[in-house]
Each structure stands twice: as structure tokens, then as C-alpha cells.
Amino acid sequence: MSMDSITIPASPRQEFAAGVVHCLPIVAGAVPFGFLLGSLAAKAGLSALDMGLMSALVFAGSSQFVAVELLDKGSAGLAVVGAILLVNLRHLLMGATLEPRFRGIPRAQAGLALFFMTDEQWALALRRGPELTLAYWYGVAATLYLAWLTSTVAGTLAGALIADPAAWGLDFTFIAVFLCLLAGFWRGAGSLPPWLASAAAALAVHALSSGGTWHILAGALAGGAVAAMQAKGQGRARDA
């Protein structure tokens, strides 16, 4: 075997650096999104310390937006915690898809790593495929975590400087990021059924409900169920 055919594994430092680089486009969308959240938190009466602790301990943009909205309306603490839990239930499904990639890692290490799991981190991990390493995971996690923490605190300190976020297009920032991530998962027409099922379920529950965040969980469950049925059908076809 020639030396040219031997693939030298990347070092942990190289893997960490790759995670940082791959996360930079996401950070570009996360920073204004975090700044917007901080601004809304200031209007709801939260201090920079409050926002910093929330971002550090919860680290989940969508549920933090829900929490800030509920706090602004004077909702009870248990209602806020319940809403955060409901929005983040989709992480159970996301974590299940990563199980093969975390197999063999001690539970304590895997649990710590999964604390940093966000939609974007999960998407990059899946795109990395079987070559996913903890060093790469933490390269993405550290970059996104520090950017989110800094931007949300900065937004809170800035206070009410952004009177109308939609006028600046900031309300569309993360939608654009998610669309880019979604495009990276396109694998032809076979990708459509889970996407369509997720969208249909989320829209139906949103239209029928009087509020809340049940449509997020409904979309995640529907898309996951269809994807599981597709995988099972493909497995049977291979066995036939």
C-alpha cells in the first residue's frame, strides 16, 4: 500500500478548529438574533445578569423567546418553565438521532456534550456524519455558546434601542439560517415526505390551538415518524 493511499486522522486541535470554522456562518445569524432577544428581555424588565444566566443555563433561542414573552405578560414562574420544557421536547428526538455517533462515549461526557445541543449544532453534527468527533462538537459548541451569551447580554444592555426589530429585518435572520441548514439536508425527492409531514402537522396544530408552542412538538413528531417509516421501508427493501 502506498503512502498516498493512507488517510491520516485529523488531530483533536484540527477537529476543534474545523468546528469553529463551520460554525461561523451560523454565528453571523445568531448574533443579531441574540441581540434582539436581549433587547426584548430589557423591555420585559430583565437585567443583563438575568439574561446572562438564562442564556448560560438554558441556551435555547426559541424557548428563551417564549420565556421572555411570558415574563413580559407577567406569567408565573412555573408556566415559564413549562413552556421552555415543551419547546425543548424536540431535543429528545434530535438526541436520539445522534445516539449512533455518541456510542462508546461515557455517559457523563455525552451528557455534558448534549447540553450544548441546539438545532444548528445538531444539523452540523448530522452533516459531519460518522466522522463526528467530540473535538469537532466542542468547536461548534464553544463558538456558538460564547456568541449567544455575549450577544444576548449586549442586547439587554442596549435596552430599547431597537424600537421596531421587523423594520431592520432582524425577525427574518434565523429563518434564513434554518433555510440554509435545511438546504444542506436535501437528498432529492426522498427528503420531501418528512419535511411536508412536519410542516403540515405544525401548521394544523398552530391553526387549531389558541396559542402556545404545541405546533413545534407536533411538527417534530410528525416529521420524525415519517422519516422512521421511510427508513424501515428502505431496510425491508434491502432485506428482500
Side-chain angles (χ1 to χ4, degrees), residues 33 58-66 83-98 117-122 174 178 198 213-222 224:
F33 193 65
V58 178
F59 188 47
S62 55
S63 61
Q64 286 182 250
F65 267 91
V66 173
I84 291 176
L85 177 62
L86 176 60
V87 173
N88 287 339
L89 278 177
R90 71 190 188 282
H91 284 202
L92 292 174
L93 300 173
M94 292 160 60
T97 64
L98 293 177
M117 185 174 66
T118 61
D119 298 276
E120 299 77 27
Q121 175 105 23
W122 172 77
F174 244 47
F178 281 123
S198 181
T213 55
W214 288 103
H215 60 286
I216 298 175
L217 180 59
L221 290 174

Side-chain angles (χ1 to χ4, degrees), residues 88-198:
N88 287 339
L89 278 177
R90 71 190 188 282
H91 284 202
L92 292 174
L93 300 173
M94 292 160 60
T97 64
L98 293 177
E99 189 276 334
R101 293 166 175 80
F102 279 81
R103 195 171 295 163
I105 298 175
R107 288 188 177 183
Q109 292 185 31
L112 177 61
L114 290 173
F115 167 79
F116 296 98
M117 185 174 66
T118 61
D119 298 276
E120 299 77 27
Q121 175 105 23
W122 172 77
L124 287 177
L126 286 187
R127 291 191 64 181
R128 191 69 172 176
E131 293 77 24
L132 176 68
T133 62
L134 276 181
Y136 178 86
W137 177 275
Y138 278 115
V140 176
T143 307
L144 188 57
Y145 187 80
L146 292 175
W148 182 252
L149 182 62
T150 303
S151 60
T152 53
V153 171
T156 307
L157 291 173
L161 292 180
I162 305 177
D164 184 9
W168 294 81
L170 294 179
D171 56 331
F172 186 73
T173 301
F174 244 47
I175 296 177
V177 173
F178 281 123
L179 288 175
C180 291
L181 289 172
L182 193 63
F185 283 100
W186 177 255
R187 297 294 184 270
S191 303
L192 278 177
W195 296 6
L196 294 176
S198 181

Side-chain angles (χ1 to χ4, degrees), residues 6 24 34 40 104 121 178 230:
I6 299 176
L24 291 179
L40 295 175
Q121 175 105 23
F178 281 123
Q230 278 187 308

